Amino acid sequence: MGKERILVTGGAGFLGSHLCDRFLKEGFHVIAMDNLITGDLRNIEHLFKSPAFEFYHHDVSKYVHIPGELKYILHFASPASPIDYLKIPIQTLKVGSLGTHNLLGLARAKKARILVASTSEVYGDPLVHPQVEEYYGNVNPIGPRGVYDEAKRFQEAITMAYHTYHNVETRIIRIFNTYGPRMRLNDGRVLPAFIGQALRGEDLTVFGDGSQTRSFCYVSDQVEGIYRLLMSDYPLPVNIGNPDEITILEFAEEIVKLTGTSQKIIFNPLPKDDPKQRQPNTTKAKSLLGWEAKVSRSEGLKITYEYFKSLPQDVLFQRDHKNFESYIR
Ligand SMILES: NC(=O)c1ccc[n+]([C@@H]2O[C@H](COP(=O)([O-])OP(=O)(O)OC[C@H]3O[C@@H](n4cnc5c(N)ncnc54)[C@H](O)[C@@H]3O)[C@@H](O)[C@H]2O)c1
């Protein structure tokens, strides 16, 4: 019998590429699909030599066709950082809505189980802390982040509808801030932003007074959570993230210490609708999946820093390597 086949959309991105690695290791035939709008083939270059790996350059907001059988679909295609979805808002809405619809249709046709990547952003600027899965969220639909948050909320709604009305086996993961090698240095997220500034010898810019909090999950923990949820029989959303919460100012201080930079921490105005606090309640992940974050921030940061340090100088100084205009319709 041949290997079981899995489709990973967004497979050339940060999380998608780590998922390709993991499922190849688990003995699957992995098909990565990506339009490379925010991803990079360098993330999966090492996989092309494997006969168990295929890559389709395709926009999942258009009709998706995969010949042959599929056991699982992981839908991870979507711009994920504010810098990206502010530049390509329509694509972000389309991939969360039309893209998800296409993949749910594919799952139905192939009788495949599908896991969709949702986000802590469905909670918006949360009024409940830490965030439990039962919390409905506090999202501004017409604010700058609305394109991402509402696309993901729609994604959850249509996924549940396919589960309820078409009996598709669905899983919904709500991912909290995750970091690790293969993140883009210039993607605007706080962790690569600080490390990039330290490496370029620039001051570290904190937005607001730095009292807003975040919780950072190392990528291997996140991948393990995704794997366990996919293999579980639980169709409702599950939070996966590291509950170890830190203020952005304390975090900037940690990065100063880690990198040994002699630069200062400076303060800039807070962007609109920036969430003030972010911490997952992971009780469900623990009780349903036996999952807990294992990698401490200091351990994970050390590995990530080594990765960023190993990047060529031109990548370090590149502000934006993506030509979004060519994708905009
Ligand atoms: N990294 C995090 O902390 C985090 C947190 C919450 C949710 N997520 C979710 O996880 C998923 C992956 O995020 P990431 O951090 O790896 O981001 P990423 O930008 O590195 O990866 C996303 C990938 O999707 C691809 N893509 C985007 N639109 C596409 C389309 N229409 N068709 C085909 N491919 C498309 C991009 O080219 C990219 O390779 C996203 O759905 C994101 O919303 C990530």
Side-chain angles (χ1 to χ4, degrees), residues 27 37 61 86 101 106 130 148 165 207 211 220 265 267 290-291 314 326 329:
I37 194 166
S61 299
L86 294 179
H101 185 212
L106 184 70
Y148 182 66
Y165 297 105
F207 292 131
S211 62
S220 60
I265 295 173
F267 297 87
W291 179 90
D314 59 316
S326 64
R329 275 172 295 271

Side-chain angles (χ1 to χ4, degrees), residues 141-157:
I142 56 164
R145 305 171 82 104
V147 293
Y148 182 66
D149 302 6
E150 295 296 5
K152 292 293 188 178
R153 289 167 69 95
F154 176 89
Q155 178 181 64
E156 291 198 6

Side-chain angles (χ1 to χ4, degrees), residues 13-15 34-35 37-39 59-60 76 148 152 178 189:
F14 162 52
L15 288 178
D34 204 299
N35 67 352
I37 194 166
T38 60
D59 178 347
V60 300
F76 276 68
Y148 182 66
K152 292 293 188 178
T178 300
R189 288 185 262 201

